[in-house]
Amino acid sequence: MVRKPDVFLFDEPLSNLDAKLRVSMRMRITRLHQQLQDTGSPATMVYVTHDQVEAMTMGDRVCILNKGHIMQVDTPMNVYHNPKNRFVAEFIGSPAMNMLTGKVSKSGSNIGIDFGGKLLELPKERQARAELWTDKKVHVGIRPEYITVRLEKGPNTLSAEVEAIEELGSEVYVHLNVLGCQVICKQSDREQVPSVGSRCHIELLMGKCHLFDDSTENNIFYS
């Protein structure tokens, strides 16, 4: 920094620090980057990390690599909310994006996902695109915060079994078995948290679901 280089290269600089110190150093590096920008100095930083929290909180743009291949280059929020493919979807986010297997099906004029005989309808704005995959197998990705645990069965719910519960103070992670798949729900309403080993139901916010082609693993809604 004293020599005023054009580009700063960081190769996992915080990997050997304890959790508390990593948080502090993330903020220090972020503030330093802003200070360099404010003074008009070159402030390009290439930061290599396996820690997605560092990538999400520090990066202006994130490049995700898989075995030397670029999977997606975008802003952190676009990578999180609009992953290009299944690898990006499962790599970014903690807990990771849940994956369920289903089939795109048509019922009358409505398009939805058939989960073992239970059809969950997609929002109207997504049906036209999904219709191109009618009768095809897809992987349905959804973030833990877009799943709600219900004690009662509803028209848009799937049956689940509670396998574990993690208490994190302000929220609860409910680990579920849904159609043979492991699913994590981020729950804030403790009154709706069932006991371990019990049966319950989950409601998916279908407007937040991503559909990944079974063969290419690309997000069919990506744009």
Side-chain angles (χ1 to χ4, degrees):
M1 295 173 185
V2 172
R3 297 175 63 184
K4 299 181 180 179
D6 292 329
V7 179
F8 297 95
L9 302 179
F10 292 89
D11 186 4
E12 300 196 55
L14 311 183
S15 60
N16 292 321
L17 303 181
D18 62 60
K20 184 176 180 180
L21 189 53
R22 279 202 304 271
V23 173
S24 174
M25 290 305 297
R26 280 206 314 264
M27 293 305 302
R28 287 174 180 267
I29 293 174
T30 300
R31 285 199 300 266
L32 177 60
H33 180 246
Q34 187 61 52
Q35 289 169 5
L36 290 171
Q37 286 183 318
D38 292 343
T39 60
S41 301
T44 299
M45 294 183 177
V46 179
Y47 192 106
V48 179
T49 181
H50 286 88
D51 187 331
Q52 58 182 281
V53 174
E54 290 179 13
M56 292 291 291
T57 57
M58 299 175 70
D60 296 312
R61 292 183 69 79
V62 179
C63 175
I64 299 171
L65 298 170
N66 180 25
K67 298 179 180 178
H69 298 282
I70 295 176
M71 296 287 101
Q72 186 170 351
V73 181
D74 214 326
T75 64
M77 286 298 99
N78 280 341
V79 166
Y80 185 84
H81 292 293
N82 195 22
K84 184 177 180 180
N85 52 56
R86 182 173 176 177
F87 178 85
V88 174
E90 294 184 303
F91 183 77
I92 293 294
S94 181
M97 181 181 285
N98 297 296
M99 286 290 166
L100 294 167
T101 300
K103 182 176 70 172
V104 179
S105 297
K106 190 171 184 178
S107 177
S109 60
N110 295 321
I111 304 294
I113 307 300
D114 185 342
F115 294 99
K118 181 68 176 288
L119 184 70
L120 299 189
E121 186 179 333
L122 289 165
K124 295 296 183 182
E125 65 272 13
R126 291 197 161 193
Q127 290 191 16
R129 180 65 176 170
E131 188 173 9
L132 301 175
W133 272 261
T134 300
D135 294 328
K136 293 183 179 179
K137 178 182 176 182
V138 291
H139 301 284
V140 183
I142 185 166
R143 299 282 180 198
E145 59 266 32
Y146 299 130
I147 301 176
T148 303
V149 173
R150 303 293 187 196
L151 300 182
E152 301 294 332
K153 183 178 180 180
N156 296 311
T157 61
L158 297 175
S159 179
E161 180 180 354
V162 182
E163 295 190 330
I165 293 175
E166 290 183 296
E167 292 275 2
L168 298 175
S170 61
E171 57 194 11
V172 180
Y173 289 164
V174 184
H175 295 254
L176 306 154
N177 185 305
V178 182
L179 301 173
C181 298
Q182 302 303 306
V183 170
I184 299 177
C185 168
K186 187 184 291 185
Q187 193 84 353
S188 56
D189 184 0
R190 282 174 168 71
E191 294 183 359
Q192 289 288 325
V193 176
S195 58
V196 175
S198 65
R199 302 290 301 182
C200 63
H201 306 274
I202 61 167
E203 183 176 349
L204 309 183
L205 188 56
M206 296 301 289
K208 296 295 185 179
C209 285
H210 301 274
L211 304 186
F212 301 96
D213 183 276
D214 182 50
S215 57
T216 65
E217 297 195 342
N218 290 330
N219 188 346
I220 73 172
F221 297 132
Y222 179 79
S223 59

